[in-house]
């Protein structure tokens, strides 16, 4: 193995472990999953897991960190402050909801196993969650400020939009009649209705 190959091989192994951990945590719960379960799902020995992650909790932390960072990136990729608040909200929520459907297994773990994190890691993930809320709330506030949204409580409207999107990870499964893209479109429309948008004619 050449030196340049080493990082990519290690990254691939870590990715395989994260995928195995997400599947195991989703099926058995964090406390019901052992390191041996994760190793078996990844096709590795239990000892090999510790080469890359010191503990089961560290795997959960990495899953949570990466998962929340991807949501922030997904919102940033589609948001443009120069656009109308309605278009911005529709795009942001569409990306948010589509991600929660596409990555439903890891999303379910990330959102419902937070209590298993250490206090330090929970605080770190909490900061990322607040940043997601801040981004979405800024769009809602912009719509209220220019009169394109009519909601008496922007804070609660933002919470409602995010909470409904997060719940997708709980009930969505692969192979159903509804696609992640259809979910994204539906939730984008639902978000506009939640904030009292004066127009629902937004760009897809």
């Amino acid at each position: 193995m050449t030196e340049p190959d080493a990082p990519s091989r290690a990254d691939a192994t870590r990715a395989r472990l994260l995928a195995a951990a997400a599947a195991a945590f989703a099926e058995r719960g964090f406390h019901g999953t052992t390191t041996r379960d994760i190793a078996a799902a990844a096709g590795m020995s239990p000892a090999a897991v510790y080469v890359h992650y010191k503990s089961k909790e560290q795997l959960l932390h990495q899953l949570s960190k990466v998962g929340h960072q991807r949501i922030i990136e997904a919102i940033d990729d589609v948001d443009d402050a120069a656009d109308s608040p309605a278009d911005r909200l529709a795009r942001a929520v569409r990306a948010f909801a589509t991600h929660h459907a596409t990555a439903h297994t890891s999303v379910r773990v990330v959102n419902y196993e937070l209590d298993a994190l250490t206090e330090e890691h929970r605080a770190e993930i909490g900061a990322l969650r607040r940043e997601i809320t801040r981004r979405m709330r800024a769009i809602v506030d912009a719509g209220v400020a220019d009169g394109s949204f009519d909601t008496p409580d922007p804070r609660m409207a933002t919470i409602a939009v995010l909470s409904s999107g997060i719940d997708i990870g709980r009930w969505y499964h692969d192979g159903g009649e509804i696609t992640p893209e259809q979910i994204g479109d539906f939730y984008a429309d639902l978000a506009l209705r939640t904030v009292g948008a004066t127009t629902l004619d937004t760009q897809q």
Side-chain angles (χ1 to χ4, degrees):
M1 181 174 65
T2 63
E3 189 63 28
D5 290 333
S8 61
R9 287 178 180 272
D11 288 345
T13 299
R14 283 190 287 269
R16 192 162 83 247
L17 282 169
L18 286 176
F25 293 154
E27 180 181 353
R28 304 178 178 88
F30 177 82
H31 296 293
T33 299
T34 65
T35 304
R36 187 175 295 277
D37 294 329
I38 296 169
M44 301 169 63
S45 69
V49 175
Y50 295 108
V51 173
H52 300 280
Y53 296 99
K54 296 178 181 179
S55 67
K56 186 174 68 168
E57 190 275 342
Q58 192 177 65
L59 274 161
L60 177 62
H61 170 242
Q62 185 65 15
L63 275 172
S64 300
K65 182 178 178 180
V66 170
H68 285 88
Q69 287 174 334
R70 284 177 178 167
I71 292 171
I72 291 174
E73 291 169 2
I75 293 173
D76 286 348
D77 284 346
V78 299
D79 188 28
D80 185 342
D83 291 334
S84 71
D87 281 338
R88 292 177 65 196
L89 185 64
R91 291 193 189 107
V93 172
R94 186 177 291 111
F96 185 83
T98 301
H99 171 82
H100 277 71
T102 303
H104 60 91
T105 299
S106 60
V107 160
R108 190 158 63 250
V109 172
V110 164
N111 285 296
Y112 297 109
E113 296 286 0
L114 289 172
D115 288 344
L117 293 170
T118 64
E119 184 176 348
E120 178 183 359
H121 287 164
R122 195 160 56 245
E124 180 184 358
I125 301 306
L128 290 173
R129 292 171 76 87
R130 288 190 294 275
E131 184 59 25
I132 293 169
T133 301
R134 187 196 67 77
R135 277 166 161 72
M136 204 69 77
R137 173 68 187 275
I139 300 173
V140 174
D141 285 345
V144 171
D146 74 0
S148 58
F149 296 164
D150 181 17
T151 174
D153 194 332
R155 176 177 176 271
M156 284 304 301
T158 303
I159 291 173
V161 167
L162 290 172
S163 296
S164 63
I166 288 171
D167 197 50
I168 294 168
R170 180 186 58 80
W171 60 263
Y172 185 78
H173 60 86
D174 295 324
E177 296 181 356
I178 309 174
T179 67
E181 291 72 26
Q182 288 173 317
I183 289 174
D185 288 341
F186 180 87
Y187 275 76
D189 181 75
L190 181 63
L192 292 174
R193 295 178 188 279
T194 300
V195 300
T198 55
T199 176
L200 299 179
D201 183 19
T202 60
Q203 297 180 26
Q204 296 298 315

